[in-house]
Amino acid sequence: MTAPAPIRSVVIVGGGTAGWMAAAALSRLVRTGVSVTLAESDAIGTVGVGEATIPPIRNFNGLLGIDENDFLSKTQGTIKLGIDFIDWTREGHRYTHPFGEFGFDIEGVKFHHFWRKLYAEGKASWIEDYNLCATAQKLGRYTTPVADPASVLSRLTYAYQFDASLYAAYLRAYAETRGVVRTEGKVLDVLLRSIDGHVEAIQLEGDRRIDGELFIDCTGFRGLLIEGALQTGFESWKHWLQCDRAVAVPSANEGTGITPYTRSIARRAGWQWRIPLQHRVGNGYVYCSDDIGDDDAAATLMANLDGQTLRDPMLIKFEAGRRKLAWNRNVVALGLASGFVEPLESTSIHMIQTGVSKLMALLPDRDFSPVDRDEYNRQTQTQMEQVRDFVILHYHANERTDGDLWRRVREMEIPETLRRKIDLFRRRGRFFRYDDELFADSSWIAVLLGQNVMPAGWDPLADAVDPALVRQRLDRIREVFRRAAEAMPRHEDWLARNCPAPTATFTRKTA
Ligand SMILES: Cc1cc2nc3c(=O)[nH]c(=O)nc-3n(C[C@H](O)[C@H](O)[C@H](O)COP(=O)(O)OP(=O)(O)OC[C@H]3O[C@@H](n4cnc5c(N)ncnc54)[C@H](O)[C@@H]3O)c2cc1C
């Protein structure tokens, strides 16, 4: 049997975060003789948002061999230890979704069962006190984690907050240095091969044509190839994730300062984000257009900033859902072209990352076997649905009294996959992950408990451990985490010392 012939050319269309992440990762192929070209239009520009991430982004940067301090400095980056959810469960309530685990398991039983038992007896404080990220986050502190599991600092897990356009520029420099060729210009047409409907070439303004074998559609919500040319179809999730617009505006670093976390504040018709970077703060109001007009949404956002605005607000329209096939014929859609689960848990950039990794693992040959494509599509669909369920949980489990949106999402039918998870957790705090699920148990537990989905009981095996020992352990964990967090430098001081951006505007300079 002869080995299938490997592809010789890849054409990436679009130069936003998705396009340049794909180009940076695929630049490895250039060394094997594959040509990698990226076409983008300066006139069209990028979506201009997407600044908060989740911890696996560090693996992506790590695989590229990117120096963390250099990257943070050049992207105005900051550290993210989690998300602070304000007023989500009910008005006046606050909880944290921290990265990293809660406490330590005892005799093979998950920590949260012991916590639940003691909390019911009034002998434990809220679960966040047993998570190092949450403890440091509340104090506005951060330090470089330690790999040695014997050190408490090994429990610190983090992601980044950065300027999306600077991240794309950073990756562009990386990719171009490694042989990716960039072409500037608007794509006017997508040419299909008559024999099998595969994309043959893209036609750019100025009568330029780029031929290719594998095409990667990174054209954002437009989905120029995957939808415009191939008419793949879109599965809408708007009945579950009803927010369909956002207004975004940057503001000066004032007030709360550069916190090592993203803030999400529930509002009558949606929620507001606050993402602190070194030189400014990114803000936005994500809302449902059935519940508030664009002008009112912009006014709400502007009235709730803690620094001066640096630009006019920008309106973005979207629809939550997924492309029916992320890989169709010889086109793989990445980023917004492949679908979007709204930005609440900062998962979009991560989905680009996993899309690129899957593509590398299932790189097609010139015959484009459906075996590779079907596996890619199966995994992508599962991952997107898991993220979708996690985000729906935040909306559905609410006790808010203002606004029709919150009543509707509380009363709606939710996906069966999520219903099962909630029901299992509500009985005895049981939780199971499937198929390499992105969010760890600790993330689900943080949000389930935060949204007041309190288990009625706990794992009976927790009763087999001496209660005095359990109490002692919990008290000790809380104390050790508190002391460790207090000993860390302030987040701003850590940034100023390790990776200051040339134009950083630290609120209290200590460098
Ligand atoms: C309100 C909001 C908030 C978000 N917040 C987060 C967040 O905090 N964290 C997160 O992970 N994700 C977030 N996202 C998602 C994130 O913004 C995207 O996943 C990310 O920016 C990738 O976008 P993209 O590259 O797919 O598309 P875009 O940034 O829109 O890039 C599209 C590219 O295609 C090019 N293009 C389009 N048409 C043509 C044409 N005809 N010819 C040539 N070029 C063309 C454009 O020039 C551009 O280069 C958010 C999204 C929204 C809407």
Side-chain angles (χ1 to χ4, degrees):
M1 199 166 94
T2 50
I7 50 162
R8 293 158 298 191
S9 61
V10 180
V11 179
I12 301 166
V13 190
T17 307
W20 285 113
M21 280 178 84
L26 294 176
S27 66
R28 277 172 67 190
L29 294 178
V30 175
R31 278 188 273 148
T32 69
V34 178
S35 77
V36 181
T37 309
L38 183 145
E40 67 173 321
S41 160
D42 290 340
I44 292 177
T46 65
V47 69
V49 282
E51 303 182 328
T53 62
I54 54 175
I57 181 106
R58 287 162 37 216
N59 302 339
F60 182 80
N61 284 1
L63 276 174
L64 297 181
I66 287 174
D67 176 81
E68 183 172 83
N69 286 345
D70 180 60
F71 152 77
L72 284 170
S73 170
K74 293 199 173 122
T75 60
Q76 300 282 353
T78 58
I79 297 295
K80 177 180 170 189
L81 293 172
I83 306 179
D84 193 19
F85 285 100
I86 300 171
D87 296 340
W88 269 85
T89 315
R90 70 188 89 86
E91 292 88 332
H93 183 268
R94 186 174 194 147
Y95 74 94
T96 297
H97 166 198
F99 302 138
E101 308 258 321
F102 291 101
F104 295 87
D105 300 350
I106 305 173
E107 293 183 16
V109 178
K110 294 273 176 207
F111 174 83
H112 70 278
H113 292 289
F114 297 103
W115 170 82
R116 177 66 188 102
K117 187 178 172 198
L118 258 66
Y119 189 71
E121 294 166 0
K123 293 176 185 160
S125 56
W126 188 246
I127 193 157
E128 289 164 12
D129 292 343
Y130 306 88
N131 180 296
L132 183 57
C133 293
T135 310
Q137 177 176 323
K138 282 180 190 152
L139 295 172
R141 296 185 179 249
Y142 174 73
T143 195
T144 312
V146 171
D148 179 3
S151 164
V152 66
L153 295 181
S154 66
R155 305 288 288 193
L156 211 53
T157 306
Y158 64 98
Y160 309 121
Q161 305 167 128
F162 51 62
D163 183 320
S165 58
L166 295 178
Y167 186 48
Y170 193 90
L171 294 178
R172 175 181 162 185
Y174 178 99
E176 287 188 311
T177 311
R178 285 159 182 79
V180 173
V181 176
R182 173 184 183 265
T183 306
E184 205 285 319
K186 192 170 171 185
V187 176
L188 301 179
D189 203 3
V190 179
L191 310 173
L192 301 184
R193 206 157 62 189
S194 55
I195 185 172
D196 55 8
H198 279 216
V199 172
E200 185 172 66
I202 50 170
Q203 185 75 47
L204 270 75
E205 58 192 352
D207 210 15
R208 287 172 293 156
R209 172 188 162 121
I210 304 177
D211 285 74
E213 287 169 352
L214 170 65
F215 286 81
I216 307 190
D217 186 346
C218 299
T219 59
F221 289 126
R222 290 173 191 80
L224 214 62
L225 285 74
I226 195 82
E227 199 58 59
L230 299 188
Q231 300 184 351
T232 302
F234 185 78
E235 180 181 309
S236 173
W237 292 334
K238 181 153 167 42
H239 50 297
W240 287 314
L241 296 168
Q242 301 186 12
C243 289
D244 57 0
R245 287 185 192 190
V247 56
V249 74
S251 65
N253 260 336
E254 291 162 16
T256 332
I258 307 179
T259 53
Y261 57 87
T262 295
R263 185 178 295 157
S264 169
I265 309 156
R267 302 235 174 266
R268 185 179 63 77
W271 61 278
Q272 179 176 339
W273 80 73
R274 178 187 186 277
I275 303 175
L277 311 181
Q278 290 196 33
H279 62 327
R280 63 164 171 80
V281 176
N283 309 277
Y285 183 9
V286 176
Y287 56 95
C288 176
S289 59
D290 292 342
D291 296 87
I292 193 170
D294 297 337
D295 291 345
D296 282 350
T300 304
L301 177 65
M302 302 298 261
N304 288 288
L305 301 176
D306 56 14
Q308 270 206 319
T309 55
L310 302 175
R311 206 184 55 200
D312 287 338
M314 170 178 76
L315 178 71
I316 304 161
K317 297 182 183 174
F318 60 85
E319 182 171 351
R322 68 174 188 96
R323 204 66 66 192
K324 285 185 178 157
L325 297 173
W327 179 343
N328 190 4
R329 296 180 207 168
N330 63 336
V331 174
V332 176
L334 288 176
L336 299 172
S338 67
F340 184 48
V341 180
E342 66 133 276
L344 186 59
E345 280 285 352
S346 330
T347 42
S348 228
I349 294 173
H350 177 78
M351 295 303 287
I352 301 170
Q353 175 184 341
T354 54
V356 175
S357 312
K358 284 196 298 275
L359 180 59
M360 294 292 273
L362 290 162
L363 202 66
D365 295 301
R366 247 174 278 165
D367 62 356
F368 279 89
S369 156
V371 175
D372 303 324
R373 195 179 55 215
D374 293 350
E375 181 59 23
Y376 183 95
N377 284 330
R378 191 193 67 75
Q379 289 187 21
T380 304
Q381 177 175 349
T382 305
Q383 281 172 351
M384 280 198 82
E385 287 173 352
Q386 288 168 339
V387 169
R388 173 201 69 191
D389 284 3
F390 188 52
V391 174
I392 292 174
L393 167 66
H394 301 62
Y395 281 99
H396 179 63
N398 87 81
E399 299 160 19
R400 286 178 62 91
T401 53
D402 72 329
D404 200 40
L405 170 72
W406 297 99
R407 183 195 53 74
R408 290 199 310 272
V409 293
R410 186 167 54 237
E411 292 174 358
M412 71 186 174
E413 281 292 317
I414 55 174
E416 173 55 27
T417 37
L418 175 59
R419 166 59 50 217
R420 263 202 320 267
K421 277 198 161 89
I422 294 178
D423 289 349
L424 261 176
F425 190 78
R426 222 188 264 283
R427 280 178 60 76
R428 279 195 183 273
R430 288 179 175 133
F431 184 82
F432 299 92
R433 286 168 82 208
Y434 302 95
D435 274 340
D436 248 352
E437 190 159 341
L438 165 60
F439 284 102
D441 299 18
S442 52
S443 286
W444 278 91
I445 290 165
V447 175
L448 283 159
L449 292 174
Q451 295 287 150
N452 201 23
V453 181
M454 186 60 83
W458 49 85
D459 186 334
L461 285 176
D463 294 329
V465 185
D466 175 10
L469 175 98
V470 172
R471 173 126 196 229
Q472 202 184 34
R473 285 266 181 100
L474 261 73
D475 288 351
R476 173 111 184 100
I477 290 167
R478 187 176 52 193
E479 179 61 12
V480 168
F481 284 177
R482 188 183 61 76
R483 282 212 213 133
E486 281 173 358
M488 294 176 194
R490 289 175 53 251
H491 175 228
E492 286 190 21
D493 295 348
W494 185 90
L495 294 171
R497 197 172 307 138
N498 292 284
C499 49
T503 53
T505 49
F506 297 117
T507 49
R508 278 170 288 170
K509 278 202 164 63
T510 49

